[in-house]
């Protein structure tokens, strides 16, 4: 019996425990899920996708079930190109790689650009799956604070300047979710976007723009970093997970042809003809702008319901950012360890994600992430009410009780 | 404009040209495809999968379209466990990872076990995608000859012994397709299977058993290496690509829990709920043994048609292995560079894969791979007849003309 396997020296396994958020999979029956960053069940177009799959297989028979051959694989790519063009990003098909979700795109980019000497700059807090991906490659990070205007570019500039002055290694890439960030829900201002691109040029790093929520702005969609990029420094990552259905696993990377070509060499799950063609068949059957309008109206209403409930029920020690899009509200509860409080919330019938999972150090944390995407508005209000009771029992006395 | 990107020092890009076989995508209209390792269109269950997708989405609505939640994701895993158990391999669910096709399984294993110092042993010739994968990680290979009984274990033993004596680095893994090998169609004998496991123990390497064609034996299915493995040295890779449909991208890796756990950390395209659940829904609707019988009867008939046509039409300079299963016939044409001959074959209306693509060195090669899987029997016979004419015009005179 072999116990010690000859693992590659390129992978670090030391930090690995059970993945964060495993408990999300085993939520008690009836628990109001304010933890899940999933689309609301009724907003997932199950009937539309069923019709799309039927039409696809009746029209194309075996083509989308082979390795290649379905014309809809190309059609999906063209759809993505057209959407990007409408948002100011013109890419040739050689500058676009369809991936199995955004997360695979992040991993592929990390795979070709990072090694154990590379420094990754990222927002702190940030998307936990991305944290896990980058930690598979390196242990060198530059964690940039986030405020209500998104990533704090002035603090970032200072960190870069100080690092350069002190001879520290400079970041090779910056990973950012500029619009409706996960988990903070914040959106980077136009001014900061411009500044970020200047910093990339000045300090010679690439920007990984994760735009998973970029089409879910309630009232507007900020200009993409990729659309403002004159220096081929931005790799743009998109996804159908939040706007159609995550279970289809359709994402993409748009970037310089040279990088896209190398990414494609390392994408070894190949195309997913059935999923990609079904998606194309669905997209050809709808008006995508109408579809987005339906989603953003629904999510805006649920976001409003959540914010109003927070205002109504939460004690004064609790603060939050008001989102302008996306799925999330980032909540601060002064003096409370949100990881410790979780079991009480689950007992009360409501779930959230403790903030620590979104930080590199995963230490004691006063933040938590709420999602208004999955539960319906009525459940959201009930959930916040339950959570407020739990919070009230946990906030230190001097900061007050329920208002 | 940035021209030189900061690629990871862990990736070697030197060898990269256009991927072999790009020309396969642009075969002329009407060309008889003896190159394509795809299932025959009529043997791909398009109607069954359509019905399966409809039933799935009507019964489960959004569940298979979310990140997780469809009970059929687990059901697919249980199906694979049951099939493996019937073939002598009992694995717990912690010992099984569902992947996006076999190729992703190979890549994930390479990712966690290989670095640029690792030696990979493999059959020469072997599956070209696997060659590409391994070359993404290392340039150190031990190429083991194949004869009609599969990988030549005695030559392999000698190479290992000599290498050990000379202080050379020993292989970390052996990649093998023991049953109906791609491209040779050969099947490793029982005696050699036993010997291979002994060598793994003696020389301390892991075996990567790629069983993509293992259920497509015409008359019998040899015992799996994994079923004979008492030392946890075998990682078993399987796939639904050849027995249901490649476009679904469903494969798996079965192995020791410790390795499977690490593989799962590095699988960043996550689950594919829609594809996996549709596959489970399809599998629950059929008798899989009946389904396999239908496939193996059909492929055996087409294999026989191809072998008979080779016997009837080919000049004496041409020899081949008679397959006992799978998709392929490996053909040797003494004195002919099959890569050079390809354009003439395409002009004549028939395609094949030049043998050189299956070797590490990709040098001049007298072999070619024919596939009887895609074309129907009548087309196969016509295709071989056309190819025989091309071959006859190319074989050196002394080895004779058409018999």
């Amino acid at each position: 019996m072999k116990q010690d396997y000859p693992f590659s020296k390129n992978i670090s396994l030391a930090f690995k425990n059970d993945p964060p958020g495993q408990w999300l999979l085993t939520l008690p029956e009836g628990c109001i899920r304010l933890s899940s960053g999933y689309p609301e069940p009724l907003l997932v177009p199950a009937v539309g996708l069923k019709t799309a799959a039927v039409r696809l297989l009746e029209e194309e028979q075996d083509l989308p079930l082979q390795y290649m051959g379905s014309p809809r694989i190309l059609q999906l790519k063209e759809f993505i190109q057209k959407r990007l063009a409408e948002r100011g990003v013109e890419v040739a098909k050689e500058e676009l790689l369809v991936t199995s979700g955004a997360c695979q795109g992040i991993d592929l980019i990390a795979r070709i650009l990072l090694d154990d000497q590379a420094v990754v700059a990222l927002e702190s807090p940030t998307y936990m799956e991305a944290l896990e991906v980058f930690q598979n490659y390196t242990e060198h990070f530059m964690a940039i604070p986030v405020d209500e205007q998104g990533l704090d570019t002035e603090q970032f500039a200072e960190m870069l300047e100080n690092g350069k002055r002190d001879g520290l290694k400079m970041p090779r890439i910056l990973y950012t979710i500029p619009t409706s960030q996960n988990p903070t829900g914040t959106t980077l201002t136009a001014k900061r976007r411009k500044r970020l691109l200047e910093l990339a040029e000045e300090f010679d790093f690439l920007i990984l723009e994760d735009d998973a929520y970029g089409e879910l702005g309630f009232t507007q969609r900020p200009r993409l970093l990729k659309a403002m990029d004159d220096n081929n420094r931005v790799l743009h990552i998109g996804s159908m997970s939040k706007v159609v259905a995550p279970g289809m696993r359709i994402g993409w990377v748009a970037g310089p042809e040279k990088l896209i070509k190398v990414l494609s060499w390392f994408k070894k799950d190949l195309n997913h003809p059935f999923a990609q063609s079904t998606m194309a068949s669905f997209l050809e059957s709808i008006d995508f702008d109408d579809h987005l309008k339906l989603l953003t109206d629904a999510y805006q209403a649920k976001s409003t319901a959540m914010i109003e409930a927070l205002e109504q029920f939460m004690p004064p020690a609790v603060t939050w950012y008001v989102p302008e899009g996306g799925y999330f509200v980032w909540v601060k509860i002064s003096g409370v360890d949100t990881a410790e409080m979780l079991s009480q919330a689950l007992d009360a019938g409501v779930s959230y994600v403790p903030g620590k999972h979104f930080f590199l150090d995963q230490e004691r944390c006063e933040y938590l992430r709420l999602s208004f995407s999955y539960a319906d508005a009525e459940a959201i209000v009930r959930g916040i009410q339950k959570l407020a009771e739990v919070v009230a029992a946990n906030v230190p006395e001097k900061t007050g009780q329920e208002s």
Side-chain angles (χ1 to χ4, degrees), chain A residues 23-24 27-36 306 342 345-353 369-372 374-387:
Chain A
W23 57 270
L24 282 171
L27 285 179
E29 192 75 25
C31 182
I32 297 173
R33 289 168 166 268
L34 304 184
S35 52
S36 303
M306 181 173 276
L342 179 63
L346 294 176
D347 287 345
V350 59
S351 69
Y352 61 81
V353 183
R369 189 192 78 178
L370 296 176
S371 171
F372 51 80
Y374 187 78
D376 62 34
E378 183 272 329
I380 286 171
V381 175
R382 270 192 300 126
I384 296 297
Q385 195 167 4
K386 286 170 191 283
L387 185 59

Side-chain angles (χ1 to χ4, degrees), chain A residues 27 31 50 71 85 105 155 274 288 299 309:
Chain A
L27 285 179
C31 182
K50 182 183 75 177
Q155 283 203 51
F274 178 58
F288 197 69
Y299 288 127

Side-chain angles (χ1 to χ4, degrees), chain A residues 146-151 177-181 183-188 321 323:
Chain A
V146 175
D147 63 23
E148 67 276 9
Q149 298 180 45
L151 179 159
I177 310 170
T179 304
S180 301
Q181 201 239 7
T184 64
T186 59
T187 290
L188 197 67
Y321 295 141

Side-chain angles (χ1 to χ4, degrees), chain A residues 147-160:
Chain A
D147 63 23
E148 67 276 9
Q149 298 180 45
L151 179 159
D152 187 332
T153 43
E154 285 326 294
Q155 283 203 51
F156 186 29
E158 208 179 301
M159 291 160 84
L160 290 165

Side-chain angles (χ1 to χ4, degrees), chain A residues 15 41 220 249 276:
Chain A
F15 71 94
Q220 57 178 347
R249 308 308 304 131
Q276 290 179 18

Side-chain angles (χ1 to χ4, degrees), chain A residues 97 99-111 208 237 252-253 263:
Chain A
L97 179 69
T99 57
S100 298
C103 198
Q104 189 191 38
I106 299 169
D107 183 57
L108 285 170
I109 292 168
R111 171 118 169 68
L208 201 48
I237 293 178
W252 60 87
V253 181
L263 289 179

Side-chain angles (χ1 to χ4, degrees), chain A residues 55 67 110 149 206 211 276 294 316 365:
Chain A
R55 185 175 54 243
Y67 287 101
Q149 298 180 45
L206 296 174
D211 187 53
Q276 290 179 18
L294 182 131
C365 179

